[in-house]
Amino acid sequence: MTQPLITAEQHAQLLAVGEARANGQSIDPMPVVRLFTPDAHATWLLAALDPTDGDTAYGLIDLGLGMPELGTVKLSDLAGIVGPRQQPVMRDLYFRPTRTLSEYTRAAERDGAIPD
């Protein structure tokens, strides 16, 4: 049995930030969850979830090409991705954010990858 991409608590945190963003609040949140492909070098640091569909997540996306950027991705799409060795996208159970999303973004743009 695989782990869900996000827990109920993370879903609630992501939605709260998404609602604040939808209401026009200018915020620089801490990422809530780190998702990754264990066999394809892709990483998603997610900080918000669109309250209108509950599926579109916003955060820092690093597809392993040296060009990480802020953007959106659907959790339902991530749930269907498998890497070259048939490994699904997984949640980093040990991820604890140490900086805001903008700080992660600056470091990722400088280094060409999301820092651990």
Side-chain angles (χ1 to χ4, degrees), residues 2 13 16 35 50 62 83 93:
T2 60
Q13 290 174 310
L35 303 176
D50 186 330
D62 180 359
L93 301 177

Side-chain angles (χ1 to χ4, degrees), residues 27-49:
I27 55 175
D28 186 15
M30 298 283 271
V32 173
V33 63
R34 177 182 181 266
L35 303 176
F36 68 99
T37 54
D39 60 351
H41 306 294
T43 304
W44 298 265
L45 279 185
L46 303 180
L49 198 55

